[in-house]
């Protein structure tokens, strides 16, 4: 059995932990690897390696650090296909979808290649007589990232390229469900020639996470995962005096206005609702048509599309959507469909009991569509993280907006309309961090920053882009006067 190794101080090492969890191929239900849950000592060794590497790495001129990033970028592009295959094998998403994930991760590396410009800082001459001020940003030291299963390559790359380019060293704790893609990316990172200890990877569960959260040498924590764990990580990390950014779960709504192109809106909902089997934090899981006529037209367009959705393993080039990540998650999603039906929602397309021929042990759920969902139902309130789209009918635009603003999550949202006034008003007033106008999955590009509102995100900073640079650095402001500019005699008033 393939045993997943850690990467500490530039070397692959096998954990000595007796506690192991299986890694599965969700398309077949077969175990593909064993993952040891690292001990606290192993996590401490990774932090020690990162700490030893931090001074020299942080002192290296940013241009030189950028040169390693350029090489890393080149290798990632060369091996994008291989990384995508590793993702699909353990996550189950289609090859093209996995390639998209890799491409969005690479974009962050490209952004990090520009680090000399990003760290330039501010200079003001003559802030007082013969006095100059320089403000620039310094690395924090050792920082850590804890990441979810749904983007095993991209989400880690939201974090460490920026952190490392800023002069920090990094310890990554990836998801225990699909660890092979981040390890292949680590191999490429090593091949790019980065010094040992700059990026370390430890696998594990709560023990590994808690060890990082409590470790005095870890100065900042980046987390992406479900909301209860994000909140826990934020509290425990900040209690330990660390800077923490913790991104959580979501329930993303898409308003469809009466003037929208219904075919384009339905196509957008198909990709955003069922792509990656709905296991995206920016997936649209609630469609909100405005008015009964719009709702009837939209459901009529969606029904045949959902019925025709091609669900299969990533090895089937025709598949539009793969299986769910685990058997437990498949059961959870099926449980939500049962709950929705019992609560009185209209089950338009039922994805229960579906498995492609020859893959009966895989964790499949077919595309599922509910109509006439109401806001008191669990399928509306909770994040399902599966291929289940709920239609909640709104009588007017105001009701649609109130619905979104009242939801506990505020990650992404979209409006489909031709009305510029409505779109502008929506973008301005909606209480959600990332908004799309006729764009169903408005994930910001690498030179902007990613971040939700409300219980989708804890902490002040978004990930990657300028927010990433701010999160992984601290401001230092130096005020300078040379002796020629100093007047004789002590001054006891506040400098002005
Ligand atoms: P998860 O919260 O179960 O796990 C995330 C990470 O936390 C993993 O590395 C895991 O090992 C660790 N972890 C799990 N339980 C823990 C505990 N009790 N104590 C400490 N650490 C623990 O999330 P998941 O199932 O891997 O990912 C899906 C979730 O991630 C969804 O809720 C999704 O919305 C969210 N997500 C959010 C974003 C975003 O940007 N907001 C992006 C991707 C995924």
């Amino acid at each position: 059995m393939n045993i997943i190794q850690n990467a500490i101080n530039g070397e692959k090492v096998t954990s000595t932990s007796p506690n192991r969890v299986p890694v599965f191929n969700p398309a077949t239900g077969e175990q593909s690897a064993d993952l040891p849950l690292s001990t606290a000592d192993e996590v401490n060794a990774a932090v020690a390696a990162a700490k030893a590497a931090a001074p020299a790495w942080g002192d290296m001129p940013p241009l030189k650090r950028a040169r390693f990033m350029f090489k890393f970028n080149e290798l990632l592009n060369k091996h994008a296909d291989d990384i995508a295959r590793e993702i699909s094998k353990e996550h189950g998403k289609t090859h093209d979808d996995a390639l998209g994930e890799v491409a969005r991760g690479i974009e962050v590396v490209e952004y990090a290649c520009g680090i000399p410009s990003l760290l330039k800082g501010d200079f003001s001459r003559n802030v007082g007589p013969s006095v100059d001020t320089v403000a620039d940003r310094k690395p924090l030291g050792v920082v850590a990232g804890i990441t979810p299963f749904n983007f095993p390559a991209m989400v880690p790359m939201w974090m460490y390229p920026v952190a490392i380019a800023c002069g920090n060293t990094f310890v990554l704790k990836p998801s225990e469900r699909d660890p092979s893609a981040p390890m292949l990316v680590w191999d490429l990172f090593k091949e790019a020639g980065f010094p040992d200890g700059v990026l370390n990877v430890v696998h594990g569960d709560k023990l590994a996470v808690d060890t990082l959260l409590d470790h005095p040498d870890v100065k900042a924590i980046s987390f992406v995962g479900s909301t209860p764990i994000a909140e826990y990580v934020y509290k425990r990390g900040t209690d330990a005096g660390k800077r923490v950014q913790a991104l959580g779960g979501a329930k993303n709504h898409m308003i469809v206005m009466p003037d929208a192109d219904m075919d384009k809106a339905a196509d957008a909902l198909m990709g955003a609702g069922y792509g990656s089997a709905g296991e995206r934090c920016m997936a649209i899981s609630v469609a909100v048509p405005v008015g009964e006529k719009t709702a009837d037209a939209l459901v009529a367009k969606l029904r045949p599309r959902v019925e025709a959705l091609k669900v299969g393993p990533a090895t089937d080039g025709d598949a539009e959507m793969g299986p769910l990540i685990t058997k437990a998650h498949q059961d959870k999603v099926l449980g939500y469909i049962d709950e929705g039906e019992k609560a009185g929602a209209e089950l338009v397309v039922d994805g229960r009991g579906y498995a492609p021929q020859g893959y009966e042990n895989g964790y499949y759920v077919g595309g599922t569509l509910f109509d006439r969902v109401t806001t008191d139902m669990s399928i509306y309130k909770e994040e399902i993280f599966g291929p289940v789209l709920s239609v909640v009918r709104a009588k007017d635009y105001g009701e649609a907006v109130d619905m979104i603003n009242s939801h506990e999550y505020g990650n992404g949202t979209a409006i489909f309309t031709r009305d510029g006034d409505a779109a502008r008003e929506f973008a301005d007033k909606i209480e959600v961090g990332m908004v799309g106008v006729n764009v169903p999955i408005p994930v910001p590009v690498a030179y902007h920053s990613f971040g939700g509102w409300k219980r989708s995100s804890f902490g002040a900073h978004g990930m990657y882009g300028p927010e990433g640079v701010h999160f992984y650095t601290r401001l230092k402001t130096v005020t300078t006067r040379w002796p020629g500019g100093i007047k004789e005699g002590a001054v006891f008033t506040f400098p002005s």
Side-chain angles (χ1 to χ4, degrees), residues 54-55 57-59 65 115 119 139-141 162-169 472-473:
W57 182 250
D59 280 345
R65 293 201 298 260
I115 201 67
L119 290 182
L140 305 175
V162 178
I164 287 172
C166 285
N168 302 285
T169 55
Y472 292 122
T473 53

Side-chain angles (χ1 to χ4, degrees), residues 140-144 215-221 241-244 471:
L140 305 175
V142 180
V143 300
H215 201 302
D217 291 335
V218 176
K219 300 301 176 195
I221 298 277
K242 297 182 201 318
R243 196 178 274 206
V244 182
F471 181 76

Side-chain angles (χ1 to χ4, degrees), residues 146-150 158 173-176 204 206 209 223-226 229 232 247-250 281 383 385 411 450 456:
I146 299 145
T147 53
F149 79 82
N150 66 325
W158 282 1
K173 204 303 282 175
S175 169
E176 56 273 48
K206 184 172 166 48
V209 173
F223 173 90
V224 176
S226 58
I229 311 297
Y232 164 78
L247 275 53
C281 65
E383 181 182 45
F385 224 54
N411 213 37
F450 185 107
S456 291

